[in-house]
Amino acid sequence: MGFDLTGLMAARAGEGAELWSRYLNPQTAKVLHSVGLDRQWVRAQGPYLWDDSGARYLDWLAGFGVFGVGRNHPVVRQAVHDVLDADLADMVKMDTPLLAGLLGEALVKRAPWLDRVYLCNSGTEAVEAALKFARYATGRGRVLYCSHAYHGLTAGAMSVNGSKDFTAGFGPLLPATMVPLGDLAALRREVVKGDVAALIVEPVQGKGVHLAPPGYLAEAAELLHANGALLICDEVQCGLGRTGRFFGFEHDGVEPDLVTVAKTLSGGIAPVAATIGKEWIFAKVYSNMTRVLVHDTTYSHNNTAAAAGLAALSVIDEEDLIANAAGRGAELIAALQRAAERYDFIMDVRGRGLMIGVEFGRPRSLRHRARYAPMTLARKGLFTQMVVCDLFEHHRILTQTASDHADVLKLLPPMTTTTEDVEWFMSAFTAVMDAVSDSSKPVWHFAKGLATRALGRA
Ligand code: PMP
């Protein structure tokens, strides 16, 4: 009969969790079951997912930001179909494929002071390249990173991770030093030592959705350059329009030396990432013909990835998604700030464009305090996890906690989000806040589903 993908998927439908438990990461199925997110997803379009019962969900997790242009976008799909139908000579390796060149040109156009692009497959690889290039070009070994930072999980990128949860047991790491985000004095203390290659920073951080105070990035760039070090901006999550500008650092008026992009660039279909940088840095790394492959990866110039990247960039422009991210983001932040006046569980609403964090904390009113305390005593972040579960179970909205040790709900909607989607979310969020504030229900009523599943009783 030969290979029949459709038949195979139909014959084995519903076996995903079992197969994962047996052959992939067994913790994944356990975690999803314990928090009640274990659905069988059968279809997706734009910002929506459908489960096997036909129920539609609003996806504001967006694959950790991969689906900036929404899921299964027809323009990106067509581009990938076109590549396959053209029977192209892919990855000859002894070649200079057109599509990769066009993607390089398109990316450099977005940051005119940058000249060169290194293409790869994932965010962490783009970061890895940026770290290597900065170290080689400056001849220095140490890298600085910010508190709460997340730049990926390969060995180099992990060395600049702000959380021990990711690094413990995997050392020794690259020489790297953490500086608190926004603390210029701490940065100065480190760069004057003369051994710093670069500071790597996310203009809007994925973990906790923290933003540096205004002016920080600009002053940091000055300090770094005055001391012979480079600025790397990691735009893997916040880049390509999500914050209401093409690059998140544009809000701060800086010109970084190296920039990493990924996620949205894939169009949600073909993995692709890039490190964009200044000519002199690339010229040092690739200084002569014998060094042509000194930093490279086999899949780096594949046509499917390049086509998806070019299509995603075109969709961002054609559909005016950057303005939409700014507009819908402003609507959402304003609505959440109004909610914060009503619900004293909400301590802070922060973000830029469609990258938003809602921080919960100890309520002012004694009545609510008694409801909040047991949840946070059990585990920091549990309150937010319950909000995530309630939004999912009762309102069919997929969100996430922004990190494990903070009570921050993170919203990362596609840039195609409409005002109707914002209204769907806000009415659900308000209902969840009403439910947690309702003193006629014992607090653990809210957490019951979570607790019973976690204890393996459901
Ligand atoms: N940098 C940032 C800012 C990210 O958010 C991520 C992924 N969440 C990465 C790097 C790593 O990207 P990837 O998972 O594609 O390796």
Side-chain angles (χ1 to χ4, degrees):
M1 185 53 212
F3 182 68
D4 165 19
L5 185 69
T6 313
L8 177 65
M9 291 201 308
R12 306 288 301 267
E15 287 184 43
E18 205 181 306
L19 289 165
W20 268 68
S21 301
R22 189 128 181 231
Y23 299 111
L24 302 179
N25 181 348
Q27 303 301 344
T28 307
K30 273 197 207 165
V31 168
L32 292 179
H33 180 68
S34 74
V35 294
L37 298 183
D38 48 351
R39 296 289 189 279
Q40 308 281 340
W41 301 111
V42 295
R43 194 162 78 80
Q45 190 59 55
Y48 307 118
L49 295 167
W50 282 264
D51 70 14
D52 56 355
S53 75
R56 186 176 70 134
Y57 291 70
L58 182 61
D59 174 18
W60 275 19
L61 176 61
F64 297 142
V66 167
F67 297 99
V69 302
R71 288 174 184 266
N72 290 315
H73 195 290
V75 172
V76 186
R77 282 174 59 142
Q78 189 58 50
V80 170
H81 277 298
D82 288 349
V83 163
L84 296 179
D85 292 345
D87 283 337
L88 296 178
D90 210 357
M91 290 179 281
V92 175
K93 300 319 295 182
M94 297 300 151
D95 68 340
T96 51
L98 174 69
L99 291 177
L102 289 173
L103 183 58
E105 178 186 62
L107 287 170
V108 160
K109 274 198 184 137
R110 307 287 175 151
W113 67 96
L114 300 178
D115 318 274
R116 302 257 169 215
V117 178
Y118 168 76
L119 291 175
C120 51
N121 313 284
S122 63
T124 199
E125 277 181 77
V127 166
E128 216 60 49
L131 297 177
K132 278 182 73 176
F133 289 14
R135 282 160 48 112
Y136 192 83
T138 60
R140 297 170 174 188
R142 195 159 64 103
V143 183
L144 305 179
Y145 62 100
C146 291
S147 45
H148 309 292
Y150 185 95
H151 300 288
L153 295 178
T154 47
M158 178 192 60
S159 300
V160 290
N161 192 299
S163 165
K164 291 215 165 31
D165 289 353
F166 289 102
T167 54
F170 288 111
L173 307 174
L174 286 187
T177 308
M178 200 261 280
V179 289
L181 178 71
D183 186 340
L184 285 164
L187 180 64
R188 185 174 298 109
R189 273 196 302 278
E190 295 302 330
V191 287
V192 295
K193 293 178 186 166
D195 63 340
V196 171
L199 167 73
I200 181 163
V201 59
E202 301 149 84
V204 180
Q205 292 188 316
K207 293 265 171 214
V209 195
H210 297 284
L211 287 92
Y216 172 76
L217 278 186
E219 282 201 47
E222 249 178 62
L223 256 178
L224 290 158
H225 292 154
N227 289 279
L230 308 181
L231 175 65
I232 305 171
C233 281
D234 183 349
E235 295 272 342
V236 165
Q237 191 167 144
C238 70
L240 279 87
R242 179 165 285 289
T243 67
R245 300 273 183 91
F246 188 82
F247 290 116
F249 58 72
E250 289 174 24
H251 296 274
D252 299 278
V254 286
E255 297 189 349
D257 305 284
L258 289 157
V259 176
T260 55
V261 291
K263 298 199 193 257
T264 293
L265 188 63
S266 70
I269 292 185
V272 58
T275 309
I276 316 165
K278 290 184 174 163
E279 160 70 19
W280 73 268
I281 299 172
F282 277 62
K284 280 205 168 181
V285 174
Y286 301 106
S287 56
N288 59 52
M289 284 194 275
T290 60
R291 289 179 63 81
V292 62
L293 292 176
V294 76
H295 188 75
D296 192 32
T297 173
T298 304
Y299 293 113
S300 61
H301 303 128
N302 80 82
N303 287 317
T304 317
L310 286 164
L313 292 172
S314 163
V315 169
I316 290 168
D317 288 342
E318 292 288 316
E319 297 185 13
D320 216 2
L321 293 185
I322 302 180
N324 192 60
R328 301 298 76 72
E331 273 171 29
L332 188 55
I333 289 175
L336 287 164
Q337 280 166 342
R338 285 195 295 278
E341 289 164 17
R342 274 179 59 197
Y343 303 105
D344 63 357
F345 291 101
I346 303 174
M347 296 294 118
D348 192 22
V349 175
R350 55 179 178 260
R352 238 176 214 154
L354 288 172
M355 191 165 175
I356 297 170
V358 181
E359 180 153 0
F360 300 105
R362 197 162 169 256
R364 288 178 296 281
S365 71
L366 280 175
R367 186 167 60 92
H368 285 163
R369 233 179 249 181
R371 301 173 65 70
Y372 180 79
M375 297 191 210
T376 42
L377 280 181
R379 186 170 150 264
K380 188 90 172 133
L382 190 57
F383 181 87
T384 312
Q385 189 57 56
M386 284 188 286
V387 172
V388 168
C389 291
D390 216 44
L391 281 169
F392 185 76
E393 239 176 273
H394 299 119
H395 305 277
R396 294 184 182 152
I397 299 177
L398 182 60
T399 56
Q400 68 172 123
T401 58
S403 76
D404 212 30
H405 303 289
D407 257 322
V408 181
L409 173 70
K410 181 164 161 197
L411 308 175
L412 207 59
M415 297 193 290
T416 53
T417 294
T418 59
T419 299
E420 291 71 49
D421 293 336
V422 171
E423 284 164 3
W424 176 354
F425 176 81
M426 281 313 300
S427 76
F429 182 74
T430 309
V432 174
M433 289 297 102
D434 282 339
V436 277
S437 312
D438 181 354
S439 49
S440 70
K441 287 184 191 147
V443 69
W444 288 108
H445 170 89
F446 184 58
K448 212 175 91 206
L450 188 62
T452 45
R453 277 189 301 267
L455 293 170
R457 296 200 196 113

